[in-house]
Amino acid sequence: MSKKKGDKKAKSGKKKELEGLSATDLAPAITQAARSMRTALSRSLGESGLYAGQDGVILILAEEDGMTPGQLAIRLGVKAPTMTRTIGRMEAQGFLERRADGTDGRLTKVHLTEAGLQTVEQIGRSVSECGSIAAKGLSDKEIRTLLKLLKTIEQNLQSEHSDDRG
Amino acid sequence: MSKKKGDKKAKSGKKKELEGLSATDLAPAITQAARSMRTALSRSLGESGLYAGQDGVILILAEEDGMTPGQLAIRLGVKAPTMTRTIGRMEAQGFLERRADGTDGRLTKVHLTEAGLQTVEQIGRSVSECGSIAAKGLSDKEIRTLLKLLKTIEQNLQSEHSDDRG
DNA sequence: CGCGCGGAATTAAATTGTTTATTTAAAGTT
DNA sequence: AACTTTAAATAAACAATTTAATTCCGCGCG
């Protein structure tokens, strides 16, 4: 088991051979960083009675109330079934409520309740604070670079999945 | 519209105020990127009969067999109960097995089975390939920068949690 | 020698997340 | 108008994570 792996054959062929060099560490690195972030955020969010994953729903709804589960799922980058169940829990918790759309019977509109509205500020604070803690010691430029790189790899992974040729 | 911020006009004069500026987007960004990564890795890993989260266990065990659940948890950055459950599943799947430590009755040693050993190469390929896909279009330097930044924010979050003052 | 303390592993309970499959309603086709 | 297709939401099954509580075992102390 050698730590250095230079013998990986590139299946794409004409690309740079250096490509897969450090990329091997990318998946573990981002996984662990995200785990730490999720845990930290979860702790902070706990004060509001929320779980990590629920914060985004409230934040988006605070900006635009009455979105459908599908729209929320797309905005948050999760799958529809995930959103359905999360909404169900949050509804039971009293943070939001579902209402049927009058014109289209297939649609469900999600609305923030009074209790949900009251959490918005605290959530914003938690997310912001969590980001600040994580970014401690990093310059503004570095943060922007990180944000840009994260978006890039996300798009790369998404487009790979959608298999959008032509 | 007036919400637009992030101008480069303000230099490092009062970095304190600028600090939380882009950091607010950090948690959502890394969350989504990690989610995409996890999904992609999960698909690739599926060919080996594994789930995302199990790969690291096998990879570490391939390097050093007979580690305890607690050691594995620390190495992978997860909590002990997570490791217990993952090990349980993987044992049921036949990838590894638990053995009691002869000298210390509290310890459990985890060992790779033959089936587990056979997945090592494929896992390495999956992780590497997944990283390459994610890093498509990024220079080697950018990848290293990303890795460094990820490690930094992870350490920031960890040290925040350990709360070791005094 | 007994008894409590601490560490390691596990169990319990709660939630997010994914994939696959099912229901229901709108839209399109013949 | 009836049938088919599509789209949205949901249900079910699996897995990963976390925190809190429990069990088991070794070890020191009285």
Side-chain angles (χ1 to χ4, degrees):
Chain A
M1 314 276 184
S2 58
K3 288 168 114 172
K4 282 305 191 83
K5 325 216 156 142
D7 54 336
K8 286 296 180 193
K9 53 181 179 183
K11 70 178 211 175
S12 281
K14 59 191 304 182
K15 278 291 185 182
K16 319 177 180 79
E17 304 87 24
L18 293 178
E19 208 169 55
L21 189 146
S22 296
T24 302
D25 305 319
L26 201 49
I30 197 171
T31 297
Q32 254 176 280
R35 203 147 40 201
S36 300
M37 182 71 89
R38 182 193 183 81
T39 299
L41 187 55
S42 186
R43 287 213 183 97
S44 183
L45 245 27
E47 300 168 7
S48 313
L50 290 159
Y51 294 86
Q54 301 184 334
D55 54 328
V57 179
I58 289 189
L59 254 26
I60 290 180
L61 250 29
E63 253 186 40
E64 185 178 344
D65 201 57
M67 294 189 84
T68 68
Q71 291 173 325
L72 286 166
I74 291 174
R75 277 284 293 272
L76 289 169
V78 302
K79 298 294 184 293
T82 303
M83 194 44 60
T84 291
R85 204 183 38 190
T86 295
I87 288 171
R89 299 245 186 233
M90 293 178 74
E91 188 172 29
Q93 290 170 302
F95 294 116
L96 48 81
E97 62 181 14
R98 290 166 159 116
R99 292 184 209 153
D101 182 281
T103 66
D104 193 331
R106 295 171 300 181
L107 298 181
T108 297
K109 298 285 190 72
V110 185
H111 298 264
L112 235 40
T113 62
E114 191 55 42
L117 266 171
Q118 286 177 353
T119 65
V120 174
E121 274 190 23
Q122 176 64 40
I123 292 175
R125 235 173 293 141
S126 290
V127 173
S128 175
E129 179 186 278
C130 203
S132 293
I133 291 173
K136 198 186 309 179
L138 297 183
S139 70
D140 208 56
K141 183 182 176 185
E142 283 176 312
I143 296 177
R144 272 196 295 265
T145 299
L146 175 55
L147 252 23
K148 190 197 66 179
L149 291 171
L150 287 174
K151 179 160 290 189
T152 298
I153 73 171
E154 187 195 333
Q155 287 173 342
N156 282 341
L157 291 167
Q158 297 288 355
S159 65
E160 175 74 9
H161 165 248
S162 71
D163 202 65
D164 187 7
R165 75 246 163 165
Chain B
M1 39 195 71
S2 60
K3 202 90 179 283
K4 206 55 183 167
K5 71 281 185 198
D7 293 330
K8 62 217 177 244
K9 60 187 178 187
K11 268 189 52 183
S12 50
K14 276 283 194 177
K15 71 173 180 186
K16 195 60 176 277
E17 294 166 5
L18 295 177
E19 209 166 58
L21 189 148
S22 294
T24 303
D25 305 320
L26 200 48
I30 196 171
T31 299
Q32 253 175 285
R35 207 145 40 199
S36 300
M37 182 70 90
R38 182 193 183 81
T39 299
L41 187 55
S42 188
R43 289 218 179 90
S44 182
L45 243 29
E47 301 168 6
S48 313
L50 289 159
Y51 296 86
Q54 300 184 333
D55 55 328
V57 179
I58 290 189
L59 253 27
I60 290 181
L61 249 30
E63 255 186 37
E64 185 178 345
D65 201 56
M67 294 190 84
T68 68
Q71 291 173 324
L72 285 166
I74 291 174
R75 277 284 293 272
L76 289 169
V78 301
K79 296 296 182 292
T82 304
M83 195 43 61
T84 291
R85 176 169 248 173
T86 296
I87 289 172
R89 297 223 195 253
M90 294 178 73
E91 188 171 30
Q93 290 170 300
F95 294 117
L96 48 81
E97 62 181 14
R98 279 183 246 232
R99 291 184 210 155
D101 182 282
T103 65
D104 194 331
R106 295 171 299 184
L107 299 181
T108 298
K109 297 285 191 73
V110 185
H111 299 265
L112 235 43
T113 62
E114 190 55 45
L117 265 172
Q118 287 178 354
T119 65
V120 174
E121 273 191 24
Q122 175 65 41
I123 292 175
R125 234 173 294 140
S126 291
V127 173
S128 176
E129 180 185 278
C130 204
S132 293
I133 290 173
K136 198 186 308 180
L138 297 183
S139 70
D140 207 56
K141 183 184 175 186
E142 284 176 313
I143 297 177
R144 272 196 293 265
T145 298
L146 175 55
L147 252 23
K148 189 197 67 179
L149 292 172
L150 287 174
K151 178 160 292 189
T152 298
I153 72 170
E154 187 195 333
Q155 287 172 342
N156 282 341
L157 291 166
Q158 297 288 355
S159 64
E160 175 72 11
H161 165 249
S162 70
D163 201 67
D164 55 0
R165 36 119 177 269

